[in-house]
Amino acid sequence: FQKIFEEAPPTKPSGGIARPDVFADMELKAKQLVQNIGYVGAGTVEYLYNAANDDYFFLELNPRLQVEHPCTEGITDINMPATQLQVAMGIPLHRIPHIRRFYGLEDVHGSSTIDFHEVRYPKITKHVIAARITAENPDEGFKPTSGSIERVKFQSTRNVWGYFSVGANGGIHEFADSQFGHIFASGATREIARRHLVLALKSVEIRGKIRNPVEYLVELLETDAFKANDIHTGWLDGILRAKSIAVPTNTPRLVLAAVLYRSHQFVKSKREELEASLAKGQLSTVLVKDLTAFSQTITYEGLKYDFLVQKSGPEVFSLRLNDQSITAKVREQPDGSLLCAFGGATRKVHGLEEPLGLRIICDGVTCLMPTIFDPSELRTDVTGKVVRYLQEDGTHLDAGAPYVEVEAMKMIMALKTGEAGKFNHLKPPGSIISAGDLLAKLELSDPSKVAKVEPYQGAFDDILDIVEEDETAADKCALLLDGFERGDPTTLAKDLTDDNVNVVVDEAAQLLQRYLVVESRYAGRPMDAVVQELVAEHKEDLTKAIDVARAHSQLKQRTVLCQQILKELLQIYANRRASGVDPAPMTLVSALAQLAALPGDAYGDLALLALRVSLVANDEAPTPRTLDTRLFDKASLTRGYALIELETGSAAATAFLGNLSVETPSKLTKPGRGGEPPVVFVFFSAASDAFLGGAKTVQAALENVLEALALARRDAKVPVTSSSSVVIRFPGGWGHVEPENGLKALDAAAFAVAARLASLHVDALSVRVGSQDLSMAAPTSTDWPTFKSVSKEQADVFSPSPLAKRRATARRAGSTFCYDFVGLFAREVTKEGGDAFVADELVLQGDALETQAREPGQNDCGMVAWRCAASTKEYPEGREFVVVANDVTYQSGSFGVKEDAFYAKVSQYARAQGLPRIYVACNSGARIGLADELKPKFRVAWVDEKNPQAGYHYLYLTAADYQALPSGSVQGKLVGERFVLDAVVGEKDGIGVENLRGSGTIAGETSRAYADAFTLSYVTGRSVGIGAYLNRLTRRVIQMKQGPIILTGYQALNKLLGREVYTSQDQLGGPQVMHPNGVSHLTVESDVEGVAEIMRWLSFVPRVKGAPPAILSCADPIDRPVEFVPTKAPYDPRHMLAGATTDGRFLPGFLDVGSFKEYLAGWGKSVVVGRGRLGGAPVGVVAVETRLSEQRVPADPANPDSTEVIMPQAGQVWFPDSAYKTATAIRDFSGENLPTIIFANWRGFSGGTRDMYGEVLKFGAMIVDALVDCSQPVFVYVPPHGELRGGAWVVVDP
């Protein structure tokens, strides 16, 4: 006890226990003792006092000052260290002023002697109590602790004084004395001094890894025994033994403080992690979802409190415990502590995560929230697969024994037990496991090591929500739009009320603008591109970028809120007279226009609502649509379909979503896979004067129809797989236009809007002009999108295409049905001036390819091909090329044995004749199939049939089933009546590794084809595994924006990595990856644009391999001046090639005007390559970038430590990537029989360590190889102000 508290004086009646006369005798004996032994100096004589009979006993003499000497100083006003030094200097006690004053002598500086054996000092008039501050844990019997100290806060007052030997950022090591502070409180009586000490201890704040007894000391001081001084040397030991005193705790308060501390730290750490990740160039924002909603578990006193935590404001947390909701405000202070407002008060909270749990300090009360470990549960800390158990089920294992081998990241590792016990398997070998999965259980040898924790089922009483300060409905809506959880958005929007309706309109406009600030960035753009832009914009304060990403992560809730706001506005403006609303303010008009224009399915319903509000607010609401039954027989034109009406924004157009898989419109929903795809029906009544202006005005009419269709398809109920059927009626006939001319205008208009027809999935388009019925050719036809006459009976009845399901499957993959590419090629050839296009399907008959006329979709494998003949500007007499395409609707476009054989034959067919070969890639890689015929037959020999998780011995077939199978379809051995399986071969070829053999075959064939013919890949939808390799081996690649080129799917990689790293295939092989690395030469927005670029590329290529390229008659003569002249200052080399507009005047460049097309623009930016024409002759060009460019090496999302690297590249210098690009372009030009013009302007190669390591020497040498192998003329032209130095001269002049 005396190591915790000291007090003085010990005599009655000031509060002590000793009689004054007995204490005087003790003092006298102490003086005699030190005099007898000749000790001179300060010292302490200790006695043991028996208060029952006033006896005392000598304990020890300490010839020094002790740590409690300030108690003596406090009651005597004598400076003990100063007095000790003066005595050591030889000054007698009676000459020391402090001593003379203490003995009541008026002449404090006098020299009269004092008989200290006889003279008594005056009566003591105050009391002092001291408390030692130690690094000890009172919960464990004042067990010493060690560790760092972050903060010590104590303020001395007139009645309390203290000192600390350790300050902030200090510590107590394991070899030090545990005491590091001492507090002394004084008062006129012991009780007053006690009260002062209690208050002082309550104000002490100590934070760090050590424990301290401050709160416990307060409880001791408040005991009745201490107050009455009814204590003894065994008093504290008895209390500790009986655990009769504990710091009073409020369980709900401590648990809430703990969950708020952990939640705050969790969000803070996630933000810091995300900020650090973005600073490195990592573009994944997966962690954003953890900023707003997560779970937290607190364990305390045998109960587990499971909280659902939501961030509902910058400083506000909403907690859900069972059925109780609690709201709290949390603010971090500069010292790291938290001010938490909950339970009707604001509390100061400190926390520290320790190995044993969370130590939480709330309102000065310290508590440990323990981490519960259950050693009976054997869990994996890795993600992978169970390979085998190292111990038999039921075996007794010692602690630390290896029990299982698991495979993770291609490594085998053993997991070990933590305690001893009987071992039981749970996961069978071969199981796929994630970190934290339970693999096995131990029946512990010592069951006491299992902590029993029960979930808390109740609710916290007297916990009040905080009062939200001046938070309006608009404030709550704004917080939801900022990405915080604020409850039901519909309710929030309805709470936007005010006596002045115009205030509501202004608030609504501001909220809609707040939504647009975020979504206008994201709409229609790749996520990575948006994040990269945000990081660049806010690189000085990445929290702003995180705030935007957090808001977008709550897109669904934010959109629902804005939809409800728009509905409220719709009511206000629809009842403008009753509401008294002013005309729509410009802020609202602007917001509505922007919302209506947001691209993407996620914004469809919102855009429709915005358009409707805009029309109503401006008194432009369309006349209610009523389908003219004289023109449209809806029942026949939508035969068998359940319908729901859609918004078109036009009084002339009516639209419906139809579905064959439901009976009533009320049940109309998005269909599942396999059902008949929905159809969007649009009926449009057009004026006949549309034909008066020819193709231009007819095109305008068609565009109006398609605009209405586009609006209808924005409805969220319309799935992306749906097709469109458009019916247009011109009741007035051709008007004053001859039918032949009117039909030509209609065909021309259809050609002009063909890209829109394809993007809106218009598979059927019928037109009635007067009494003449016309129907658009099917997308699979070479006549698409022209019109042909049909009968009235055909025109009045809608018949879904037999290919509708397959088109829906292709659209689900993000592509176009393979047979519909025939129509896209035909349209492009005709659009570019050709007058004929024929596509003969190639079919494998036996071992040979034959052209065959058959209906589209009759293929029996996942690969189709055509031999195409086209009349083009370059070859009016016709040219041929071969198109081979994956059919993604056939077993997901996977490569099996038949597909491999067919692809190889088509490729060989094309290169044998020297024909250009176009590969349209949309696939899922090599096929891994299942022997379906065996699935219902195989049996499992379980270890325990009642517990399948215990594993199995083997798979088997019954003897009867085995004998019924064809020979060789399975391998194994007959054991009794069971055929135990070793391997499944299957009845059919093409479901196993034979597909990999075929993949190797077509990879080699594609490589050979590049040398023997012009090869080009167009990637749409996706291209996986061997599909990706075929694209690269083809060398020339055009990639559609929705066409990732990948080796492994992102979900599989996430499983391998054991965490959510990737969120889309685009992160692995989208255009933002494949264009900068040189795999993709071009990127396009749609399949229509993709086919256009294929034909444009073909326009530079000879009819067959080795033939001279076609030379066009050119309106741009070769003897005209090249008016754009390069300057000494850095300039854009594209201007030198294609020309540029300067001061309002176009200055032609080196090549024919309008002929230049750049390729590989995203890669090796210090060099520009492309194709163009010079005097009508096609050429390949290589030019030099004279300006500073950058090479961006993105951070690897799978490696959190990797960092984005931006490497500046000086102009007129070859770097590894641009040197490789140059060599690649020269080889491609040579393979296309194109002369090459090199506009040489290099100062040399970058020869620094980084670029030498990056293989610049190797790629520079490849330029020489490419030029040596080049079979076509190569011109090296040094442009004005150009230069060619050193190694650069060497490589271009081999």
Side-chain angles (χ1 to χ4, degrees):
F1 172 76
Q2 68 272 22
K3 297 298 183 183
I4 296 175
F5 294 118
E6 300 100 357
E7 55 181 301
T11 55
K12 300 175 181 178
S14 69
I17 59 173
R19 282 184 8 220
D21 60 319
V22 176
F23 185 69
D25 191 54
M26 296 166 71
E27 291 179 312
L28 180 60
K29 295 295 192 295
K31 296 171 188 177
Q32 293 173 346
L33 173 61
V34 296
Q35 192 174 38
N36 289 338
I37 64 174
Y39 176 71
V40 177
T44 305
V45 177
E46 295 186 8
Y47 295 97
L48 188 63
Y49 188 85
N50 187 340
N53 55 18
D54 295 316
D55 288 341
Y56 65 91
F57 308 91
F58 171 76
L59 281 179
E60 63 178 345
L61 166 63
N62 290 309
R64 56 179 170 79
L65 288 179
Q66 292 190 268
V67 71
E68 60 269 23
H69 79 262
C71 289
T72 303
E73 291 185 333
I75 61 173
T76 64
D77 290 331
I78 295 175
N79 186 323
M80 300 295 289
T83 302
Q84 182 181 25
L85 288 174
Q86 291 177 76
V87 170
M89 293 165 60
I91 300 174
L93 276 178
H94 66 271
R95 295 292 304 272
I96 298 174
H98 285 174
I99 301 297
R100 296 179 68 83
R101 183 183 299 112
F102 175 62
Y103 275 85
L105 299 179
E106 294 182 3
D107 185 8
V108 296
H109 298 291
S111 59
S112 58
T113 60
I114 302 173
D115 186 348
F116 293 105
H117 291 282
E118 299 296 334
V119 178
R120 294 289 298 159
Y121 50 79
K123 180 181 178 182
I124 301 297
T125 58
K126 55 183 175 180
H127 201 94
V128 175
I129 305 178
R132 297 192 186 193
I133 309 301
T134 61
E136 296 174 345
N137 185 357
D139 298 332
E140 298 185 30
F142 286 83
K143 179 181 177 181
T145 63
S146 60
S148 62
I149 295 176
E150 299 172 6
R151 178 177 172 82
V152 175
K153 179 185 175 184
F154 171 75
Q155 185 67 47
S156 295
T157 66
R158 185 170 60 88
N159 298 309
V160 180
W161 172 81
Y163 69 87
F164 290 86
S165 59
V166 178
N169 301 318
I172 306 293
H173 60 76
E174 59 270 31
F175 305 109
D177 187 276
S178 62
Q179 183 179 352
F180 64 95
H182 218 158
I183 296 177
F184 303 86
S186 63
T189 65
R190 182 177 185 271
E191 175 59 18
I192 294 174
R194 184 194 68 81
R195 292 177 185 175
H196 288 162
L197 184 57
V198 168
L199 291 174
L201 290 172
K202 286 183 176 181
S203 71
V204 172
E205 183 182 323
I206 301 169
R207 294 212 318 271
K209 294 184 178 180
I210 63 165
R211 292 297 305 273
N212 68 81
V214 170
E215 300 118 358
Y216 195 84
L217 298 184
V218 171
E219 296 306 311
L220 290 175
L221 289 169
E222 295 284 16
T223 59
D224 292 338
F226 192 93
K227 290 178 181 178
N229 207 358
D230 186 18
I231 54 179
H232 50 79
T233 54
W235 174 68
L236 180 58
D237 291 335
I239 289 174
L240 294 174
R241 192 181 311 112
K243 297 184 178 180
S244 58
I245 291 181
V247 177
T249 59
N250 181 310
T251 296
R253 186 182 303 166
L254 287 173
V255 169
L256 287 175
V259 74
L260 289 173
Y261 173 81
R262 274 193 170 154
S263 298
H264 175 81
Q265 294 301 118
F266 177 82
V267 172
K268 181 180 177 181
S269 66
K270 289 296 181 182
R271 283 189 75 98
E272 290 173 348
E273 184 179 349
L274 186 54
E275 190 172 343
S277 175
L278 293 175
K280 293 175 182 177
Q282 298 274 5
L283 301 180
S284 173
T285 54
V286 172
L287 294 176
V288 166
K289 67 180 185 298
D290 294 331
L291 299 179
T292 53
F294 47 91
S295 59
Q296 288 285 358
T297 298
I298 300 296
T299 304
Y300 185 56
E301 294 181 338
L303 292 174
K304 182 172 67 172
Y305 300 83
D306 293 314
F307 288 91
L308 173 63
V309 184
Q310 294 179 325
K311 199 82 186 300
S312 51
E315 297 178 344
V316 181
F317 288 94
S318 295
L319 310 176
R320 185 83 179 173
L321 177 64
N322 300 326
D323 294 327
Q324 185 179 19
S325 294
I326 304 164
T327 304
K329 182 175 285 187
V330 178
R331 178 176 297 171
E332 184 171 344
Q333 299 300 99
D335 63 358
S337 63
L338 304 181
L339 289 181
C340 301
F342 65 89
T346 299
R347 311 177 190 283
K348 194 165 189 178
V349 175
H350 302 285
L352 181 66
E353 294 287 355
E354 298 178 345
L356 295 179
L358 169 65
R359 193 198 318 163
I360 199 77
I361 305 172
C362 178
D363 290 342
V365 176
T366 301
C367 181
L368 183 68
M369 304 290 177
T371 300
I372 300 301
F373 300 97
D374 186 351
S376 70
E377 295 183 346
L378 301 179
R379 297 183 180 273
T380 173
D381 58 353
V382 298
T383 295
K385 183 177 72 174
V386 175
V387 177
R388 65 185 180 115
Y389 283 100
L390 303 176
Q391 309 291 344
E392 293 292 330
D393 199 40
T395 305
H396 185 278
L397 302 182
D398 294 329
Y403 66 91
V404 69
E405 284 184 347
V406 298
E407 179 184 358
M409 297 294 288
K410 302 180 182 179
M411 294 171 55
I412 302 295
M413 58 188 73
L415 303 183
K416 299 179 181 181
T417 61
E419 297 291 341
K422 184 180 177 182
F423 178 65
N424 293 297
H425 301 173
L426 292 181
K427 291 274 188 183
S431 297
I432 302 302
I433 55 175
S434 299
D437 283 356
L438 185 63
L439 303 185
K441 294 276 285 186
L442 278 180
E443 187 179 319
L444 295 179
S445 302
D446 183 1
S448 66
K449 293 185 177 179
V450 179
K452 301 296 182 183
V453 181
E454 299 294 332
Y456 179 74
Q457 303 291 348
F460 291 159
D461 297 329
D462 302 324
I463 297 297
L464 305 175
D465 282 1
I466 62 170
V467 177
E468 296 168 351
E469 302 172 0
D470 302 324
E471 195 171 64
T472 65
D475 293 334
K476 294 177 183 178
C477 291
L479 286 170
L480 188 144
L481 290 173
D482 288 344
F484 295 108
E485 298 283 350
R486 297 299 301 190
D488 180 20
T490 301
T491 303
L492 289 178
K494 289 181 177 179
D495 289 341
L496 285 172
T497 58
D498 194 276
D499 293 337
N500 185 345
V501 70
N502 293 302
V503 173
V504 176
V505 171
D506 288 339
E507 289 179 341
Q510 292 172 20
L511 291 171
L512 295 175
Q513 289 286 1
R514 199 180 192 104
Y515 177 89
L516 284 164
V517 166
V518 174
E519 298 313 321
S520 59
R521 289 179 176 274
Y522 284 89
R525 299 182 61 199
M527 181 75 75
D528 283 5
V530 178
V531 176
Q532 189 174 356
E533 180 184 275
L534 285 170
V535 171
E537 185 177 330
H538 301 292
K539 60 183 178 182
E540 300 301 325
D541 185 5
L542 288 174
T543 58
K544 293 180 180 178
I546 294 171
D547 289 342
V548 174
R550 180 195 61 221
H552 180 69
S553 72
Q554 301 296 316
L555 175 62
K556 185 176 180 180
Q557 289 286 84
R558 299 169 74 246
T559 302
V560 171
L561 174 64
C562 289
Q563 286 174 340
Q564 189 59 44
I565 290 173
L566 290 173
K567 290 177 182 177
E568 298 296 320
L569 289 174
L570 197 59
Q571 289 186 4
I572 290 173
Y573 283 106
N575 302 293
R576 54 168 39 85
R577 290 184 180 177
S579 64
V581 65
D582 293 338
M586 286 308 300
T587 52
L588 179 60
V589 172
S590 173
L592 293 174
Q594 292 179 70
L595 288 172
L598 285 177
D601 294 340
Y603 309 102
D605 285 350
L606 186 65
L608 290 173
L609 263 175
L611 177 63
R612 196 173 304 159
V613 174
S614 179
L615 294 172
V616 173
N618 292 295
D619 285 328
E620 297 175 3
T623 306
R625 295 181 303 276
T626 302
L627 192 64
D628 190 340
T629 55
R630 296 170 300 174
L631 298 177
F632 304 98
D633 183 353
K634 186 174 76 170
S636 296
L637 292 170
T638 62
R639 186 176 60 182
Y641 283 78
L643 302 176
I644 184 170
E645 190 167 359
L646 302 172
E647 179 66 61
T648 64
S650 169
T654 306
F656 301 93
L657 175 62
N659 197 322
L660 279 178
S661 62
V662 296
E663 297 176 358
T664 61
S666 62
K667 297 180 180 179
L668 189 60
T669 57
K670 295 182 181 180
R673 295 191 180 189
E676 193 69 30
V679 178
V680 176
F681 297 97
V682 173
F683 306 107
F684 190 88
S685 176
S688 296
D689 59 4
F691 292 100
L692 293 177
K696 188 174 182 179
T697 52
V698 176
Q699 179 182 338
L702 287 183
E703 287 175 345
N704 289 337
V705 179
L706 296 180
E707 194 60 41
L709 172 60
L711 198 60
R713 291 190 65 89
R714 297 216 65 183
D715 195 301
K717 294 184 289 294
V718 179
V720 69
T721 56
S722 62
S723 63
S724 300
S725 171
V726 178
V727 180
I728 305 175
R729 299 288 192 248
F730 292 89
W734 299 104
H736 300 290
V737 177
E738 290 296 323
E740 182 180 355
N741 293 333
L743 183 57
K744 288 181 180 178
L746 191 59
D747 284 345
F751 267 99
V753 299
R756 199 86 192 276
L757 291 171
S759 67
L760 293 173
H761 303 171
V762 179
D763 297 337
L765 172 58
S766 72
V767 176
R768 176 172 293 165
V769 186
S771 59
Q772 184 175 356
D773 286 298
L774 305 165
S775 179
M776 183 182 70
T780 55
S781 167
T782 56
D783 294 326
W784 184 83
T786 60
F787 288 86
K788 62 180 180 179
S789 293
V790 294
S791 67
K792 184 177 185 302
E793 290 73 18
Q794 290 174 302
D796 281 339
V797 176
F798 174 74
S799 299
S801 168
L803 301 175
K805 288 185 180 180
R806 297 179 71 174
R807 286 195 175 103
T809 301
R811 287 163 182 160
R812 185 179 295 113
S815 183
T816 299
F817 180 42
C818 58
Y819 281 91
D820 289 348
F821 274 96
V822 171
L824 297 182
F825 275 104
R827 178 257 179 181
E828 186 59 32
V829 169
T830 309
K831 179 176 77 72
E832 289 300 316
D835 57 7
F837 179 78
V838 177
D840 296 321
E841 187 171 0
L842 292 170
V843 180
L844 192 61
Q845 298 287 357
D847 199 38
L849 282 176
E850 297 179 0
T851 58
Q852 189 176 102
R854 63 179 184 180
E855 289 297 313
Q858 301 301 308
N859 53 307
D860 58 356
C861 84
M863 192 74 71
V864 294
W866 299 268
R867 179 172 180 138
C868 302
S871 171
T872 66
K873 289 187 297 183
E874 299 79 27
Y875 295 99
E877 71 281 8
R879 70 171 306 160
E880 292 185 314
F881 57 92
V882 173
V883 176
V884 60
N886 295 111
D887 183 357
V888 74
T889 71
Y890 186 95
Q891 296 198 25
S892 299
S894 57
F895 290 84
V897 172
K898 290 180 68 174
E899 287 77 13
D900 294 336
F902 182 78
Y903 177 95
K905 285 292 183 183
V906 171
S907 181
Q908 292 163 5
Y909 175 88
R911 67 187 177 94
Q913 300 181 55
L915 295 177
R917 194 212 67 190
I918 313 301
Y919 170 42
V920 179
C922 183
N923 55 73
S924 56
R927 184 177 304 154
I928 301 298
L930 296 172
D932 293 323
E933 68 275 9
L934 287 178
K935 285 163 65 176
K937 296 181 179 181
F938 79 86
R939 304 286 187 271
V940 181
W942 298 107
V943 172
D944 181 356
E945 289 191 6
K946 296 181 179 179
N947 180 22
Q949 290 200 348
Y952 64 94
H953 295 297
Y954 52 80
L955 303 180
Y956 68 94
L957 300 171
T958 64
D961 284 339
Y962 167 65
Q963 291 167 2
L965 292 173
S967 175
S969 58
V970 293
Q971 295 178 2
K973 54 184 178 294
L974 200 60
V975 179
E977 293 298 313
R978 294 180 173 183
F979 184 82
V980 179
L981 293 170
D982 290 334
V984 174
V985 179
E987 297 179 10
K988 300 176 182 177
D989 189 31
I991 65 171
V993 294
E994 57 268 29
N995 294 326
L996 300 180
R997 182 185 63 221
S999 294
T1001 298
I1002 61 176
E1005 167 56 34
T1006 303
S1007 180
R1008 286 184 283 272
Y1010 174 76
D1012 295 343
F1014 172 80
T1015 55
L1016 171 64
S1017 281
Y1018 172 62
V1019 183
T1020 170
R1022 62 173 183 263
S1023 194
V1024 184
I1026 179 58
Y1029 278 108
L1030 293 183
N1031 301 143
R1032 175 55 188 157
L1033 291 166
T1034 301
R1035 301 297 178 93
R1036 305 172 186 89
V1037 179
I1038 300 174
Q1039 185 177 15
M1040 201 255 278
K1041 71 172 184 179
Q1042 193 174 342
I1045 303 171
I1046 58 174
L1047 296 178
T1048 305
Y1050 78 94
Q1051 299 99 327
L1053 285 176
N1054 285 344
K1055 288 181 180 179
L1056 180 65
L1057 296 168
R1059 55 195 174 92
E1060 189 177 355
V1061 173
Y1062 302 103
T1063 56
S1064 71
Q1065 312 288 25
D1066 284 340
Q1067 286 180 277
L1068 301 170
Q1072 71 270 32
V1073 176
M1074 292 301 170
H1075 195 43
N1077 70 11
V1079 171
S1080 297
H1081 290 57
L1082 277 179
T1083 61
V1084 294
E1085 294 292 316
S1086 66
D1087 288 335
V1088 173
E1089 185 184 347
V1091 170
E1093 290 297 344
I1094 292 172
M1095 295 308 299
R1096 180 169 184 175
W1097 203 324
L1098 277 176
S1099 71
F1100 297 110
V1101 178
R1103 178 190 289 126
V1104 295
K1105 177 74 173 181
I1111 300 177
L1112 294 176
S1113 57
C1114 183
D1116 188 7
I1118 58 175
D1119 57 356
R1120 62 110 171 123
V1122 178
E1123 296 187 42
F1124 180 89
V1125 179
T1127 61
K1128 289 183 178 181
Y1131 60 92
D1132 188 341
R1134 297 164 188 82
H1135 295 167
M1136 177 179 64
L1137 301 174
T1141 299
T1142 303
D1143 296 329
R1145 178 172 172 264
F1146 180 73
L1147 303 178
F1150 200 91
L1151 302 177
D1152 295 350
V1153 173
S1155 70
F1156 175 68
K1157 178 68 179 179
E1158 184 179 3
Y1159 295 87
L1160 293 170
W1163 176 46
K1165 294 181 180 179
S1166 65
V1167 165
V1168 175
V1169 303
R1171 292 160 180 80
R1173 292 185 180 275
L1174 186 61
V1179 294
V1181 294
V1182 178
V1184 182
E1185 178 61 81
T1186 61
R1187 300 166 299 174
L1188 180 70
S1189 58
E1190 290 181 342
Q1191 181 188 16
R1192 175 178 173 265
V1193 180
D1196 180 7
N1199 178 9
D1201 295 327
S1202 71
T1203 303
E1204 177 189 57
V1205 178
I1206 304 293
M1207 294 181 288
Q1209 295 183 334
Q1212 299 177 265
V1213 176
W1214 259 315
F1215 293 89
D1217 56 346
S1218 54
Y1220 190 11
K1221 176 179 177 177
T1222 303
T1224 298
I1226 293 170
R1227 287 191 182 281
D1228 287 346
F1229 297 153
S1230 178
E1232 297 167 28
N1233 282 25
L1234 297 182
T1236 299
I1237 303 177
I1238 299 176
F1239 293 83
N1241 187 9
W1242 284 284
R1243 290 180 284 123
F1245 288 85
S1246 176
T1249 300
R1250 183 190 70 193
D1251 294 317
M1252 291 298 288
Y1253 188 81
E1255 304 174 87
V1256 69
L1257 183 62
K1258 177 198 298 184
F1259 296 132
M1262 287 176 64
I1263 299 173
V1264 177
D1265 292 338
L1267 289 170
V1268 169
D1269 294 341
C1270 184
S1271 60
Q1272 302 302 313
V1274 177
F1275 303 90
V1276 178
Y1277 170 65
V1278 181
H1281 305 297
E1283 53 187 317
L1284 193 60
R1285 302 185 192 175
W1289 184 306
V1290 172
V1291 298
V1292 300
D1293 190 18

